[in-house]
Amino acid sequence: MNKVLYGLVVLLFFSVVQFNVSDTFAGKIDYKKIYNNQCRKCHGKDGKGTKRGKGLGVPNFSDGEWQDATTDKQMITTITNGKKKMPKQGHKLSPEEIKAMVKYIRFFAPKKKRY
Ligand code: HEC
């Protein structure tokens, strides 16, 4: 009987942990889909920028120095309101989705500089 109880507690624990993990990845927000649909054409699959993007002046998201020099707040402002050739996304994405995109952009940082 005790073993069953223990098993249940363990099961409960893991389901809670799993829930939290998916939560840190911004819950139900499919940031990958958003990126592929709305950002990739300029920023590229690897974050370095496509030919079109480079022509418009996109930064290289995989550059550690760029990552260090750019704050989350700055990214949120740029994604929401746009900046020069970067089209504003505030009317297309919710504030939660924009925050998720900032997290996604951090994934492009070189491994040792990952946030
Ligand atoms: C039409 C091409 C285009 C698309 C689409 C686009 N961007 Fe950009 N993005 C740019 C350009 C150009 C810049 C550089 C702006 C500058 O500093 O002159 C930029 C800059 C940025 C920056 C750097 C912000 C900063 O303050 O330095 C972030 C972050 C960013 N884009 C995120 C996104 C996200 C997220 C999406 C999709 C939701 C997206 N972009 C879609 C062209 C694009």
Side-chain angles (χ1 to χ4, degrees), residues 36-100:
N36 284 339
N37 288 342
Q38 296 185 37
C39 321
R40 194 173 143 176
K41 58 178 178 267
C42 291
H43 290 287
K45 194 181 168 197
D46 54 6
K48 291 181 180 165
T50 57
K51 213 171 170 186
R52 176 182 171 201
K54 282 178 186 158
L56 297 171
V58 294
N60 177 359
F61 294 156
S62 71
D63 174 359
E65 279 180 28
W66 181 84
Q67 287 278 353
D68 283 348
T70 311
T71 63
D72 287 6
K73 208 176 155 206
Q74 183 189 335
M75 285 202 221
I76 289 169
T77 306
T78 299
I79 299 169
T80 309
N81 304 326
K83 183 179 166 191
K84 294 186 209 165
K85 298 272 166 62
M86 161 78 199
K88 66 168 186 271
Q89 307 288 326
H91 56 306
K92 290 183 194 160
L93 302 174
S94 69
E96 289 75 28
E97 285 171 328
I98 290 171
K99 267 189 213 151

